[in-house]
Amino acid sequence: MEKLVIKGGKTLSGEVPISGAKNAALPLMCASLLTDEPLTLTNLPRLADIATLADLLNHMGVGLMFKGGRGGKISGRTLTLDGATIADTVAPYDMVRKMRASILVLGPVVARMGEATVSLPGGCAIGTRPIDLHLKALEAIGATIELADGYVKATAPDGLTGGTVRFPFASVGATENVLMAAALASGETIIENPAREPEICDLAECLNAMGAKISGAGSETIHIQGVPKLHKATHKVQPDRIVAGSYAVAAVMTGGELLLRDAEPCHMGATIAALESAGATVSVEERGIRVKAGKRILPFNLVTQPYPGFATDLQAQFMALASIADGASVITESIFENRYMHVSELCRLGADITVTGSSATVRGVKKLTGAPVMATDLRASMTLALAGLVAEGDTTIHRLYHLDRGYERLEEILSDVGADIERVAD
Ligand code: UD1
C-alpha cells in the first residue's frame, strides 16, 4: 500500500499536461466490441480504470496492443483493440465489480452477438447507482432482458430492431450503451433526452468514423440509423475536462497560476464560470487554458447538473476551494444522493462544512491544518490532495487506489509545478 504525503503552503505555477479523458476512453474502448476490424484509440490516459476495462475486454476475446509507452499494460497512449472474435459474451462478477463502467459492454455485445451477460456492477460508493435506464433503453430497441443470480442477460437472437428511447432524466452511461447498440440495429433509433456530455459526442464521432449513422449527439434528440456492419477506425480521445478542472482548483487554492495544456475550453463553460465566481481569472490560449488566482477566494454557490451544467465530478474539488474562501458558499449535489463522503475528511483538516439534505454550507476558514486522511472515492481523493496543498503541515492520504483510477502521475505533475508532494510506501 502507498500513501501521498503533502507539505502544504507552496504556490503552484507553470504548465500541467491534461491527459485524455477517462470517461470518454472507457466507452470508446467498448465500441471495439461492435466490429471485427481493429479500432485504434490515441491520447489514452494511463490509468488503473483503463487497465481494468482492458482486462475485461481481453477476457471477452478482444486483442489489445498498447503503443507509445514504456511497456506494461497501462503505459501506452495508443491502443489498438481487435475484436475479430468475441469468444465470451459473459462479463463475470470478479471483473465487473472493480468498475461500474463495465456495464458498457452490454449494449455492444448484445448488438453484435445477439446475447450478452454482465454481472450487476459495483464501482464508486457514491449512491445506489442503478442500471434500470440502461436496461429499459436496450428493451426499447429490441433486446429481451432477464435478471438472475446477480447477472443481467440481454438477448436479441435476430438482432436489435431499433426504436424510440425516452429517458426520464439524462444518464451518461445509459445513453452510451444504447448509442453503441443502436448503431448495429436493423432500423432507426431515436433517443429523446439523452445525456449531452462531451463524452457522448466523442463516442458518436468515433462510431461515425467506424461507419455508424448518428446525428444529433450533444443535442436533445439523437437519431441513429442502424447499419449492418462497422469497420476499422482511428480516433483521438478528447482531453479530460474533470482533470483540467481539478488542476484549475489547485492553481486558485494555492494563489498560483497554471496553464492547463491541451484543455478544451468548449467543454468547460460551467467550470470556468465557477472559477471566475471564486475570483480567478481564466483565459483561453492557443495551447490550453490559463487559470490565475485572484487576490482572495470569493465565496460562490453552485448546483451540480447534467451537462452543460456544473459537473458532479468536480463538486468535491470545488468544495475544497470553498473551504478556504472569504465567506460562506452553498454547494448542492443534485445528481448523486451520497456524494459527500469527502466532507468528514475535509473537516478533519479544519474545514467548516454543514450538510443538510443535498446541500452543503461551506464556511471558509483562514487555514486548514494537515492530518492523516482516507480517500473514499476517486474525486474525493483529489479533493484531499487539493486541501493538503494549502494545509499547514503534513497531510497524508491513504487508499490511493481510488486516485489512481482517474488521475495520471498526480504527484509528479504537481511536483513539477512547485508542490511538495511524494508517494511513499505505507
Ligand atoms: C458517468 C460518469 C461519472 C459521472 C456521471 C454523472 C463514466 C464512466 N462515469 O457515470 O464519472 O459522475 O456520469 O456525470 O462516464 N441512474 C439511474 N438509472 C440508471 C442509470 C443512472 O437512476 O440506469 C441515475 C444515477 O443514479 C444518477 C444519475 O442517473 O443519479 C446520473 O447517472 P449517470 O449519468 O448514469 O452516471 P454514470 O454513467 O454511471
Side-chain angles (χ1 to χ4, degrees), residues 125-184:
I126 55 172
T128 358
R129 302 190 83 175
I131 55 160
D132 55 316
L133 299 176
H134 297 243
L135 305 185
K136 283 192 190 120
L138 291 175
E139 272 177 339
I141 62 166
T144 302
I145 303 287
E146 287 165 76
L147 292 176
D149 307 324
Y151 278 79
V152 47
K153 181 168 188 179
T155 46
D158 301 322
L160 296 169
T161 52
T164 299
V165 177
R166 281 186 199 91
F167 284 118
F169 53 88
S171 158
V172 175
T175 303
E176 290 165 345
N177 234 334
V178 72
L179 197 60
M180 289 188 276
L184 283 186

CSV table of all heavy atoms in Angstrom, one decimal, residues 125-184:
chain,number,residue,atom,x,y,z
A,125,ALA,N,-18.6,4.2,-4.4
A,125,ALA,CA,-19.6,4.1,-3.4
A,125,ALA,C,-20.3,5.5,-3.3
A,125,ALA,O,-20.3,6.1,-2.3
A,125,ALA,CB,-19.0,3.7,-2.1
A,126,ILE,N,-20.9,6.0,-4.4
A,126,ILE,CA,-21.5,7.3,-4.4
A,126,ILE,C,-23.0,7.2,-4.6
A,126,ILE,O,-23.5,7.9,-5.5
A,126,ILE,CB,-20.8,8.3,-5.3
A,126,ILE,CG1,-20.8,7.8,-6.7
A,126,ILE,CG2,-19.4,8.7,-4.8
A,126,ILE,CD1,-20.3,8.9,-7.7
A,127,GLY,N,-23.6,6.4,-3.9
A,127,GLY,CA,-25.1,6.3,-4.1
A,127,GLY,C,-25.5,4.9,-4.7
A,127,GLY,O,-24.6,4.1,-4.9
A,128,THR,N,-26.8,4.8,-4.9
A,128,THR,CA,-27.3,3.5,-5.3
A,128,THR,C,-26.8,3.1,-6.7
A,128,THR,O,-26.5,2.0,-7.1
A,128,THR,CB,-28.8,3.4,-5.2
A,128,THR,OG1,-29.3,4.7,-4.7
A,128,THR,CG2,-29.3,2.3,-4.4
A,129,ARG,N,-26.9,4.1,-7.6
A,129,ARG,CA,-26.4,4.0,-9.0
A,129,ARG,C,-27.0,2.7,-9.7
A,129,ARG,O,-26.3,1.8,-10.0
A,129,ARG,CB,-24.9,4.0,-9.1
A,129,ARG,CG,-24.3,5.2,-8.5
A,129,ARG,CD,-22.8,5.3,-8.8
A,129,ARG,NE,-22.6,5.9,-10.1
A,129,ARG,CZ,-21.3,6.2,-10.5
A,129,ARG,NH1,-20.3,5.9,-9.7
A,129,ARG,NH2,-21.2,6.7,-11.7
A,130,PRO,N,-28.3,2.7,-9.9
A,130,PRO,CA,-29.0,1.6,-10.6
A,130,PRO,C,-28.6,1.6,-12.1
A,130,PRO,O,-28.0,2.5,-12.6
A,130,PRO,CB,-30.5,1.9,-10.3
A,130,PRO,CG,-30.6,3.3,-10.1
A,130,PRO,CD,-29.3,3.8,-9.6
A,131,ILE,N,-29.1,0.5,-12.7
A,131,ILE,CA,-28.9,0.5,-14.2
A,131,ILE,C,-30.2,0.3,-14.9
A,131,ILE,O,-30.2,-0.1,-16.1
A,131,ILE,CB,-27.9,-0.7,-14.6
A,131,ILE,CG1,-28.4,-2.0,-14.1
A,131,ILE,CG2,-26.5,-0.4,-14.1
A,131,ILE,CD1,-27.7,-3.2,-14.8
A,132,ASP,N,-31.3,0.6,-14.3
A,132,ASP,CA,-32.6,0.4,-14.9
A,132,ASP,C,-32.7,1.2,-16.2
A,132,ASP,O,-33.3,0.7,-17.2
A,132,ASP,CB,-33.7,0.9,-13.9
A,132,ASP,CG,-33.5,2.3,-13.4
A,132,ASP,OD1,-32.4,2.7,-13.1
A,132,ASP,OD2,-34.5,3.1,-13.4
A,133,LEU,N,-32.1,2.4,-16.3
A,133,LEU,CA,-32.3,3.1,-17.6
A,133,LEU,C,-31.5,2.5,-18.7
A,133,LEU,O,-32.0,2.5,-19.9
A,133,LEU,CB,-31.8,4.6,-17.4
A,133,LEU,CG,-32.5,5.4,-16.3
A,133,LEU,CD1,-31.8,6.8,-16.2
A,133,LEU,CD2,-33.9,5.6,-16.7
A,134,HIS,N,-30.4,1.8,-18.4
A,134,HIS,CA,-29.7,1.1,-19.5
A,134,HIS,C,-30.6,0.0,-20.0
A,134,HIS,O,-30.7,-0.3,-21.2
A,134,HIS,CB,-28.4,0.4,-18.9
A,134,HIS,CG,-27.4,1.3,-18.3
A,134,HIS,ND1,-26.1,1.4,-18.9
A,134,HIS,CD2,-27.4,2.2,-17.3
A,134,HIS,CE1,-25.4,2.3,-18.2
A,134,HIS,NE2,-26.2,2.8,-17.2
A,135,LEU,N,-31.2,-0.8,-19.0
A,135,LEU,CA,-32.0,-2.0,-19.4
A,135,LEU,C,-33.2,-1.6,-20.2
A,135,LEU,O,-33.6,-2.2,-21.2
A,135,LEU,CB,-32.3,-2.8,-18.2
A,135,LEU,CG,-31.1,-3.2,-17.3
A,135,LEU,CD1,-31.5,-4.1,-16.2
A,135,LEU,CD2,-30.0,-3.8,-18.2
A,136,LYS,N,-33.9,-0.5,-19.7
A,136,LYS,CA,-35.2,-0.1,-20.4
A,136,LYS,C,-34.8,0.4,-21.8
A,136,LYS,O,-35.6,0.1,-22.8
A,136,LYS,CB,-35.8,1.0,-19.6
A,136,LYS,CG,-36.6,0.5,-18.4
A,136,LYS,CD,-37.5,1.6,-17.8
A,136,LYS,CE,-38.0,1.1,-16.5
A,136,LYS,NZ,-37.7,2.0,-15.4
A,137,ALA,N,-33.7,1.1,-22.0
A,137,ALA,CA,-33.3,1.6,-23.3
A,137,ALA,C,-33.0,0.4,-24.2
A,137,ALA,O,-33.4,0.5,-25.4
A,137,ALA,CB,-32.1,2.5,-23.1
A,138,LEU,N,-32.3,-0.6,-23.7
A,138,LEU,CA,-32.0,-1.7,-24.6
A,138,LEU,C,-33.3,-2.5,-25.0
A,138,LEU,O,-33.4,-3.0,-26.1
A,138,LEU,CB,-31.0,-2.6,-24.0
A,138,LEU,CG,-29.6,-2.0,-23.8
A,138,LEU,CD1,-28.6,-2.9,-23.0
A,138,LEU,CD2,-29.0,-1.7,-25.2
A,139,GLU,N,-34.2,-2.6,-24.0
A,139,GLU,CA,-35.5,-3.2,-24.3
A,139,GLU,C,-36.2,-2.5,-25.4
A,139,GLU,O,-36.8,-3.0,-26.3
A,139,GLU,CB,-36.4,-3.3,-23.1
A,139,GLU,CG,-36.1,-4.5,-22.2
A,139,GLU,CD,-37.0,-4.6,-21.0
A,139,GLU,OE1,-37.4,-3.5,-20.5
A,139,GLU,OE2,-37.1,-5.7,-20.4
A,140,ALA,N,-36.2,-1.1,-25.3
A,140,ALA,CA,-36.9,-0.3,-26.3
A,140,ALA,C,-36.4,-0.5,-27.7
A,140,ALA,O,-37.1,-0.2,-28.7
A,140,ALA,CB,-36.8,1.2,-25.9
A,141,ILE,N,-35.1,-1.0,-27.8
A,141,ILE,CA,-34.6,-1.2,-29.2
A,141,ILE,C,-34.6,-2.7,-29.6
A,141,ILE,O,-33.9,-3.1,-30.5
A,141,ILE,CB,-33.3,-0.5,-29.4
A,141,ILE,CG1,-32.2,-1.0,-28.5
A,141,ILE,CG2,-33.4,1.0,-29.3
A,141,ILE,CD1,-30.8,-0.6,-29.0
A,142,GLY,N,-35.3,-3.5,-28.8
A,142,GLY,CA,-35.5,-4.9,-29.2
A,142,GLY,C,-34.8,-5.9,-28.4
A,142,GLY,O,-34.9,-7.1,-28.8
A,143,ALA,N,-34.1,-5.6,-27.3
A,143,ALA,CA,-33.5,-6.7,-26.5
A,143,ALA,C,-34.5,-7.2,-25.5
A,143,ALA,O,-35.4,-6.5,-25.1
A,143,ALA,CB,-32.3,-6.1,-25.8
A,144,THR,N,-34.3,-8.5,-25.1
A,144,THR,CA,-35.1,-9.1,-24.0
A,144,THR,C,-34.1,-9.1,-22.8
A,144,THR,O,-33.0,-9.5,-23.0
A,144,THR,CB,-35.5,-10.5,-24.4
A,144,THR,OG1,-36.3,-10.4,-25.6
A,144,THR,CG2,-36.3,-11.1,-23.3
A,145,ILE,N,-34.6,-8.6,-21.7
A,145,ILE,CA,-33.7,-8.5,-20.5
A,145,ILE,C,-34.2,-9.5,-19.4
A,145,ILE,O,-35.4,-9.6,-19.1
A,145,ILE,CB,-33.7,-7.1,-19.9
A,145,ILE,CG1,-33.3,-6.1,-21.0
A,145,ILE,CG2,-32.9,-7.0,-18.7
A,145,ILE,CD1,-31.9,-6.0,-21.4
A,146,GLU,N,-33.3,-10.3,-18.9
A,146,GLU,CA,-33.6,-11.1,-17.7
A,146,GLU,C,-32.5,-10.8,-16.6
A,146,GLU,O,-31.3,-10.7,-16.9
A,146,GLU,CB,-33.4,-12.6,-18.1
A,146,GLU,CG,-34.5,-13.2,-19.0
A,146,GLU,CD,-33.9,-14.5,-19.5
A,146,GLU,OE1,-33.9,-15.5,-18.7
A,146,GLU,OE2,-33.5,-14.5,-20.6
A,147,LEU,N,-33.0,-10.8,-15.4
A,147,LEU,CA,-32.1,-10.7,-14.2
A,147,LEU,C,-32.1,-12.0,-13.4
A,147,LEU,O,-33.2,-12.4,-13.1
A,147,LEU,CB,-32.5,-9.5,-13.3
A,147,LEU,CG,-32.5,-8.1,-13.9
A,147,LEU,CD1,-33.0,-7.1,-12.9
A,147,LEU,CD2,-31.0,-7.7,-14.2
A,148,ALA,N,-30.9,-12.5,-13.2
A,148,ALA,CA,-30.9,-13.7,-12.4
A,148,ALA,C,-29.5,-13.9,-11.8
A,148,ALA,O,-28.5,-13.6,-12.4
A,148,ALA,CB,-31.2,-15.0,-13.2
A,149,ASP,N,-29.5,-14.3,-10.5
A,149,ASP,CA,-28.2,-14.6,-9.8
A,149,ASP,C,-27.2,-13.5,-9.8
A,149,ASP,O,-26.0,-13.8,-10.0
A,149,ASP,CB,-27.6,-15.9,-10.4
A,149,ASP,CG,-28.6,-17.1,-10.4
A,149,ASP,OD1,-29.4,-17.2,-9.5
A,149,ASP,OD2,-28.6,-17.8,-11.4
A,150,GLY,N,-27.6,-12.3,-9.8
A,150,GLY,CA,-26.7,-11.2,-9.8
A,150,GLY,C,-26.2,-10.8,-11.2
A,150,GLY,O,-25.3,-10.0,-11.3
A,151,TYR,N,-26.8,-11.4,-12.2
A,151,TYR,CA,-26.4,-11.1,-13.6
A,151,TYR,C,-27.5,-10.5,-14.4
A,151,TYR,O,-28.7,-10.8,-14.1
A,151,TYR,CB,-25.9,-12.4,-14.3
A,151,TYR,CG,-24.4,-12.7,-13.9
A,151,TYR,CD1,-24.1,-13.3,-12.7
A,151,TYR,CD2,-23.4,-12.4,-14.8
A,151,TYR,CE1,-22.8,-13.6,-12.3
A,151,TYR,CE2,-22.1,-12.6,-14.4
A,151,TYR,CZ,-21.8,-13.3,-13.2
A,151,TYR,OH,-20.5,-13.5,-12.9
A,152,VAL,N,-27.2,-9.7,-15.4
A,152,VAL,CA,-28.2,-9.3,-16.3
A,152,VAL,C,-27.9,-9.9,-17.7
A,152,VAL,O,-26.8,-9.8,-18.1
A,152,VAL,CB,-28.4,-7.7,-16.4
A,152,VAL,CG1,-27.0,-7.1,-16.5
A,152,VAL,CG2,-29.2,-7.3,-17.5
A,153,LYS,N,-28.9,-10.5,-18.2
A,153,LYS,CA,-28.7,-11.2,-19.5
A,153,LYS,C,-29.6,-10.4,-20.6
A,153,LYS,O,-30.8,-10.3,-20.4
A,153,LYS,CB,-29.1,-12.6,-19.5
A,153,LYS,CG,-28.9,-13.4,-20.8
A,153,LYS,CD,-29.0,-14.9,-20.6
A,153,LYS,CE,-28.5,-15.5,-21.9
A,153,LYS,NZ,-28.6,-16.9,-21.9
A,154,ALA,N,-29.0,-10.0,-21.6
A,154,ALA,CA,-29.7,-9.3,-22.7
A,154,ALA,C,-29.7,-10.2,-23.9
A,154,ALA,O,-28.6,-10.7,-24.3
A,154,ALA,CB,-29.1,-8.0,-23.0
A,155,THR,N,-30.8,-10.5,-24.6
A,155,THR,CA,-30.8,-11.3,-25.8
A,155,THR,C,-31.5,-10.6,-26.9
A,155,THR,O,-32.5,-9.9,-26.7
A,155,THR,CB,-31.4,-12.7,-25.5
A,155,THR,OG1,-32.6,-12.5,-24.8
A,155,THR,CG2,-30.5,-13.6,-24.7
A,156,ALA,N,-31.1,-10.9,-28.1
A,156,ALA,CA,-31.7,-10.4,-29.3
A,156,ALA,C,-31.3,-11.3,-30.4
A,156,ALA,O,-30.4,-11.0,-31.3
A,156,ALA,CB,-31.4,-9.0,-29.6
A,157,PRO,N,-31.8,-12.6,-30.5
A,157,PRO,CA,-31.2,-13.6,-31.4
A,157,PRO,C,-31.3,-13.2,-32.8
A,157,PRO,O,-30.5,-13.6,-33.6
A,157,PRO,CB,-32.1,-14.9,-31.1
A,157,PRO,CG,-33.1,-14.5,-30.1
A,157,PRO,CD,-32.8,-13.2,-29.6
A,158,ASP,N,-32.4,-12.4,-33.2
A,158,ASP,CA,-32.5,-12.0,-34.6
A,158,ASP,C,-31.9,-10.6,-34.8
A,158,ASP,O,-32.3,-9.9,-35.8
A,158,ASP,CB,-33.9,-12.1,-35.0
A,158,ASP,CG,-34.5,-13.5,-34.9
A,158,ASP,OD1,-33.7,-14.4,-35.2
A,158,ASP,OD2,-35.6,-13.7,-34.5
A,159,GLY,N,-31.2,-10.1,-33.8
A,159,GLY,CA,-30.6,-8.7,-33.9
A,159,GLY,C,-31.6,-7.7,-33.3
A,159,GLY,O,-32.8,-8.0,-33.1
A,160,LEU,N,-31.0,-6.5,-33.0
A,160,LEU,CA,-31.8,-5.5,-32.4
A,160,LEU,C,-32.6,-4.8,-33.5
A,160,LEU,O,-32.1,-4.7,-34.7
A,160,LEU,CB,-30.9,-4.5,-31.7
A,160,LEU,CG,-30.1,-5.0,-30.5
A,160,LEU,CD1,-29.1,-4.0,-30.0
A,160,LEU,CD2,-31.1,-5.3,-29.3
A,161,THR,N,-33.7,-4.2,-33.2
A,161,THR,CA,-34.6,-3.6,-34.2
A,161,THR,C,-34.4,-2.1,-34.3
A,161,THR,O,-34.7,-1.5,-35.4
A,161,THR,CB,-36.1,-3.9,-33.8
A,161,THR,OG1,-36.2,-3.5,-32.5
A,161,THR,CG2,-36.4,-5.4,-34.0
A,162,GLY,N,-34.0,-1.5,-33.2
A,162,GLY,CA,-34.1,0.0,-33.1
A,162,GLY,C,-35.5,0.4,-32.5
A,162,GLY,O,-36.3,-0.5,-32.4
A,163,GLY,N,-35.7,1.6,-32.2
A,163,GLY,CA,-36.9,2.0,-31.6
A,163,GLY,C,-36.7,3.4,-30.9
A,163,GLY,O,-35.7,4.0,-31.1
A,164,THR,N,-37.8,3.8,-30.2
A,164,THR,CA,-37.7,5.1,-29.6
A,164,THR,C,-37.4,5.0,-28.1
A,164,THR,O,-38.0,4.2,-27.4
A,164,THR,CB,-39.0,5.9,-29.7
A,164,THR,OG1,-39.2,6.1,-31.1
A,164,THR,CG2,-38.9,7.3,-29.1
A,165,VAL,N,-36.3,5.7,-27.6
A,165,VAL,CA,-35.9,5.6,-26.2
A,165,VAL,C,-36.2,7.0,-25.6
A,165,VAL,O,-35.7,8.0,-26.2
A,165,VAL,CB,-34.4,5.3,-26.1
A,165,VAL,CG1,-34.0,5.3,-24.6
A,165,VAL,CG2,-34.1,4.0,-26.7
A,166,ARG,N,-37.0,7.0,-24.5
A,166,ARG,CA,-37.2,8.3,-23.9
A,166,ARG,C,-36.7,8.3,-22.5
A,166,ARG,O,-37.2,7.6,-21.6
A,166,ARG,CB,-38.8,8.6,-23.8
A,166,ARG,CG,-39.4,9.1,-25.0
A,166,ARG,CD,-40.9,9.5,-24.9
A,166,ARG,NE,-41.4,9.5,-26.2
A,166,ARG,CZ,-42.0,8.4,-26.8
A,166,ARG,NH1,-42.2,7.3,-26.1
A,166,ARG,NH2,-42.5,8.5,-28.0
A,167,PHE,N,-35.6,9.0,-22.2
A,167,PHE,CA,-35.1,8.9,-20.9
A,167,PHE,C,-35.8,9.9,-20.0
A,167,PHE,O,-36.0,11.1,-20.4
A,167,PHE,CB,-33.6,9.3,-20.9
A,167,PHE,CG,-32.7,8.2,-21.4
A,167,PHE,CD1,-31.9,8.4,-22.6
A,167,PHE,CD2,-32.6,7.0,-20.7
A,167,PHE,CE1,-31.1,7.4,-23.0
A,167,PHE,CE2,-31.8,6.0,-21.2
A,167,PHE,CZ,-31.0,6.2,-22.3
A,168,PRO,N,-36.2,9.5,-18.8
A,168,PRO,CA,-36.9,10.4,-17.9
A,168,PRO,C,-35.9,11.5,-17.3
A,168,PRO,O,-36.3,12.6,-17.1
A,168,PRO,CB,-37.4,9.5,-16.7
A,168,PRO,CG,-36.6,8.3,-16.8
A,168,PRO,CD,-36.2,8.1,-18.2
A,169,PHE,N,-34.7,11.1,-17.2
A,169,PHE,CA,-33.6,12.0,-17.0
A,169,PHE,C,-32.3,11.5,-17.6
A,169,PHE,O,-32.2,10.3,-17.9
A,169,PHE,CB,-33.4,12.3,-15.5
A,169,PHE,CG,-33.2,11.1,-14.6
A,169,PHE,CD1,-31.9,10.6,-14.4
A,169,PHE,CD2,-34.3,10.5,-14.0
A,169,PHE,CE1,-31.7,9.5,-13.7
A,169,PHE,CE2,-34.1,9.3,-13.3
A,169,PHE,CZ,-32.8,8.8,-13.1
A,170,ALA,N,-31.4,12.4,-17.8
A,170,ALA,CA,-30.2,12.1,-18.7
A,170,ALA,C,-29.3,11.2,-17.9
A,170,ALA,O,-28.9,11.5,-16.8
A,170,ALA,CB,-29.5,13.4,-19.1
A,171,SER,N,-28.9,10.0,-18.5
A,171,SER,CA,-27.9,9.2,-17.9
A,171,SER,C,-26.8,9.0,-18.9
A,171,SER,O,-27.0,8.6,-20.1
A,171,SER,CB,-28.5,7.8,-17.5
A,171,SER,OG,-27.4,6.8,-17.5
A,172,VAL,N,-25.6,9.3,-18.5
A,172,VAL,CA,-24.4,9.3,-19.4
A,172,VAL,C,-24.2,7.8,-19.9
A,172,VAL,O,-24.2,7.5,-21.1
A,172,VAL,CB,-23.2,9.8,-18.7
A,172,VAL,CG1,-21.9,9.6,-19.6
A,172,VAL,CG2,-23.4,11.3,-18.3
A,173,GLY,N,-24.1,6.9,-18.9
A,173,GLY,CA,-23.8,5.5,-19.3
A,173,GLY,C,-24.9,4.9,-20.1
A,173,GLY,O,-24.7,4.2,-21.1
A,174,ALA,N,-26.2,5.1,-19.7
A,174,ALA,CA,-27.3,4.5,-20.5
A,174,ALA,C,-27.3,5.1,-21.9
A,174,ALA,O,-27.6,4.3,-22.8
A,174,ALA,CB,-28.6,4.8,-19.7
A,175,THR,N,-27.1,6.4,-22.0
A,175,THR,CA,-27.0,6.9,-23.4
A,175,THR,C,-25.9,6.3,-24.2
A,175,THR,O,-26.1,5.9,-25.4
A,175,THR,CB,-26.8,8.5,-23.3
A,175,THR,OG1,-27.8,9.1,-22.5
A,175,THR,CG2,-26.8,9.1,-24.7
A,176,GLU,N,-24.8,6.1,-23.6
A,176,GLU,CA,-23.6,5.5,-24.3
A,176,GLU,C,-24.0,4.0,-24.7
A,176,GLU,O,-23.7,3.6,-25.8
A,176,GLU,CB,-22.4,5.5,-23.5
A,176,GLU,CG,-21.9,6.9,-23.3
A,176,GLU,CD,-20.9,7.2,-22.2
A,176,GLU,OE1,-20.7,6.3,-21.3
A,176,GLU,OE2,-20.2,8.2,-22.2
A,177,ASN,N,-24.6,3.3,-23.8
A,177,ASN,CA,-24.9,1.9,-24.0
A,177,ASN,C,-25.8,1.7,-25.2
A,177,ASN,O,-25.6,0.9,-26.1
A,177,ASN,CB,-25.5,1.3,-22.8
A,177,ASN,CG,-24.8,0.0,-22.4
A,177,ASN,OD1,-24.2,-0.7,-23.2
A,177,ASN,ND2,-25.0,-0.3,-21.1
A,178,VAL,N,-26.9,2.5,-25.2
A,178,VAL,CA,-27.9,2.4,-26.3
A,178,VAL,C,-27.4,3.0,-27.6
A,178,VAL,O,-27.7,2.5,-28.7
A,178,VAL,CB,-29.3,3.0,-25.9
A,178,VAL,CG1,-29.2,4.5,-25.8
A,178,VAL,CG2,-30.4,2.6,-26.8
A,179,LEU,N,-26.5,4.0,-27.5
A,179,LEU,CA,-25.9,4.6,-28.7
A,179,LEU,C,-25.1,3.5,-29.5
A,179,LEU,O,-25.2,3.3,-30.7
A,179,LEU,CB,-25.0,5.7,-28.3
A,179,LEU,CG,-24.5,6.8,-29.3
A,179,LEU,CD1,-25.7,7.5,-29.9
A,179,LEU,CD2,-23.6,7.8,-28.6
A,180,MET,N,-24.3,2.8,-28.7
A,180,MET,CA,-23.5,1.7,-29.3
A,180,MET,C,-24.3,0.6,-29.9
A,180,MET,O,-24.1,0.2,-31.0
A,180,MET,CB,-22.5,1.2,-28.3
A,180,MET,CG,-21.4,2.2,-27.9
A,180,MET,SD,-20.1,1.5,-26.9
A,180,MET,CE,-20.8,1.6,-25.3
A,181,ALA,N,-25.3,0.2,-29.1
A,181,ALA,CA,-26.1,-0.9,-29.5
A,181,ALA,C,-26.9,-0.6,-30.8
A,181,ALA,O,-27.0,-1.3,-31.7
A,181,ALA,CB,-27.1,-1.4,-28.4
A,182,ALA,N,-27.5,0.6,-30.7
A,182,ALA,CA,-28.4,1.0,-31.9
A,182,ALA,C,-27.6,1.2,-33.2
A,182,ALA,O,-28.2,1.1,-34.2
A,182,ALA,CB,-29.1,2.4,-31.5
A,183,ALA,N,-26.3,1.4,-33.0
A,183,ALA,CA,-25.5,1.6,-34.3
A,183,ALA,C,-25.6,0.4,-35.2
A,183,ALA,O,-25.5,0.5,-36.4
A,183,ALA,CB,-24.1,1.9,-33.9
A,184,LEU,N,-25.8,-0.8,-34.6
A,184,LEU,CA,-25.9,-2.1,-35.4
A,184,LEU,C,-27.3,-2.6,-35.5
A,184,LEU,O,-27.5,-3.8,-35.9
A,184,LEU,CB,-25.0,-3.2,-34.7
A,184,LEU,CG,-23.5,-3.1,-34.9
A,184,LEU,CD1,-22.8,-4.3,-34.3
A,184,LEU,CD2,-23.2,-3.0,-36.4
